[in-house]
Amino acid sequence: MSYQKILLNIFFLLPAWVLRIFVWKKDVYIRGQVLDFKSSILIALTPSSLLTKVEFADDLRNAINDARIAMPVSAKSLVEVKTVDHELLSEGSSILLREYTPKVLTTEKVVLYFHGGGYVIGDVMTHDRWVSNMANILEAKVYSLNYRLAPENKFPKAIDDACLTLEWLNNLGYQNSNISLCGDSAGAHLAAATSNHLAMSNKSMPSSQCLIYPMTDPSCSSESHSLFGDGYFLTNDTMVWFWEQLRGSNNDNEDIRFDLSKFPINLKNPKTLIITAGFDPLCDEGEEYAALLNNAGVSIEHIHYPNMFHGFVTMTKLKAAKYAAEDFLSDYKKIL
């Protein structure tokens, strides 16, 4: 084990009050919210994204993903979860679908999960611990999809992969009414975009969707982008760059599956749970999307964690992040 990993594990074990003795750092107050103290230290020690400053290549994606897997900040599941890998073919490309089965199953409904990473980075393995814990807490089977990533695969290729996976699940006997869509960040966008696609195609809806700090608006112009767009893991420049990698043409900006902020008043959607974090540049657009769904008559619940930041569900070695994740999963379980 590297010394960096040892130091990181010690950091996670130390209570916040002990850290306050040895680390002088002002609490961060913005918009009447205070950032969790241990989270603020971890953020301060983490370098800002360099993605916007490089020519992206698959080798870089692999390096970023491998670094995240090697230094996990997501808590390991204490209860064993059985995993089985399936291979799906999408337009000649092989994509991984990982099935998670917890020891205790209390529902016949299943979750189709989409990982975050701006549609550019991340994969099933970077989110493996989080999805394992989610399956245990929900007491439900979860399928995690390695959808095709940008910039090699522009919009709407990921939606095609999601729809292919739904058809695969349908063939296993799971109708859409027994499938819930869930994702974090870009994965939340993909979940919502897939629901919009199904509604536009007059196809049956998923039973529900859980959108965890979703990216929804490619303009990246909200107040939270200005307030939290630098110094809180996810930067405004990186978000703008992510959207540029995903966009195939300017016509995509008019597509309600791309720009979710254009959600129309007359479109169906499933029961929805939206999660936002106080110190997240995407906070305002997530809240605005919740309002759009509510105005359209969609059954919507919005839970906000004022002391959290973008990415907290995959950083549950932080106690505050763990508590927040477990808290909203208890609500998600009720709407499955």
Side-chain angles (χ1 to χ4, degrees), residues 305-335:
Y305 295 96
N307 67 333
M308 285 289 95
F309 51 90
H310 192 86
F312 75 84
V313 299
T314 52
M315 299 189 187
T316 50
K317 282 188 177 181
L318 290 165
K319 281 189 176 180
K322 179 176 181 288
Y323 293 154
E326 291 176 349
D327 179 69
F328 79 74
L329 285 178
S330 68
D331 281 62
Y332 184 26
K333 187 176 181 180
K334 294 173 187 175
I335 70 165

Side-chain angles (χ1 to χ4, degrees), residues 120-141:
V120 177
I121 57 175
D123 59 19
V124 164
M125 283 307 301
T126 60
H127 285 62
D128 182 68
R129 287 189 172 192
W130 158 241
V131 176
S132 292
N133 278 304
M134 184 170 68
N136 269 331
I137 294 171
L138 295 178
E139 297 180 335
K141 186 172 288 191

